[in-house]
Amino acid sequence: MVQMDRPPRVQTPDADAPWNEIVPKLWMGGHHYGNTEGVRVPAIVGTEFEVVISLYQAEGHGPGPDVEHHHLAIPDAALHAEQLAAARALARIAAAAVRADRSVMVRCQYGYNRSGLVVAQTLLDLGHAVDDAIALIRLRRSRYALNNEFFVKYLTIGLDGG
């Protein structure tokens, strides 16, 4: 049996918004989106959110200097134990911020998979079931969200082994 480092690619269009609110105070986004004319434009975060978690980072995309910012560069592919633990820790930070009534943006390059992993785990921490969390993300962000089968499997078995 051949082990894959990455699930098969899914052709996905840009999201139609820079970010979307998944539940109150918890937002998910990417670094670009398609505007109403179908033109790809940058999604630049300023001070709209109190906490920003970036799983991908590009020069000039923010956030502002006074915003609490956490950055973890992880691939949109199979993750090793340390990467899963770091993503788990970021979800705990996001859940604690939402419970404290602080606005949180979790973003990655396209706003579908890496951000979806952390947002879904945050939803689990906030009391949602796995299937409900995934469905909610796909409803509120995009039907293309969490198309990385590895990430769905990680959520199902637990990022920290339960």
Side-chain angles (χ1 to χ4, degrees):
M1 186 163 123
V2 176
Q3 170 121 9
M4 294 177 21
D5 289 332
R6 167 177 206 87
R9 272 278 176 208
V10 175
Q11 286 294 78
T12 56
D14 286 326
D16 59 7
W19 43 74
N20 300 89
E21 192 171 30
I22 307 303
V23 295
K25 299 290 185 177
L26 180 61
W27 297 75
M28 182 171 154
H31 278 66
H32 293 89
Y33 68 102
N35 69 13
T36 55
E37 291 81 38
V39 175
R40 189 174 214 225
V41 294
I44 299 171
V45 176
T47 58
E48 300 89 346
F49 307 99
E50 294 166 277
V51 179
V52 174
I53 296 172
S54 299
L55 301 158
Y56 170 87
Q57 201 167 354
E59 183 82 26
H61 285 254
D66 295 328
V67 174
E68 180 183 332
H69 187 216
H70 302 270
H71 176 246
L72 172 66
I74 59 172
D76 185 1
L79 302 178
H80 56 68
E82 292 81 16
Q83 291 167 322
L84 288 170
R88 179 73 183 93
L90 290 175
R92 286 186 178 118
I93 290 168
V98 169
R99 285 187 193 107
D101 202 33
R102 298 176 72 207
S103 59
V104 179
M105 157 65 91
V106 181
R107 65 186 182 158
C108 60
Q109 187 171 4
Y110 293 98
Y112 291 148
N113 285 317
R114 290 170 278 189
S115 57
L117 177 69
V118 172
V119 168
Q121 183 60 53
T122 301
L123 292 171
L124 297 179
D125 290 349
L126 295 172
H128 293 261
V130 174
D131 291 341
D132 294 339
I134 293 168
L136 186 58
I137 288 167
R138 289 177 176 159
L139 175 69
R140 300 276 167 84
R141 176 64 179 161
S142 170
R143 66 187 178 103
Y144 299 103
L146 285 169
N147 64 65
N148 180 323
E149 293 174 22
F150 290 133
F151 289 5
V152 171
K153 185 174 183 177
Y154 296 145
L155 291 164
T156 302
I157 62 174
L159 295 188
D160 55 4

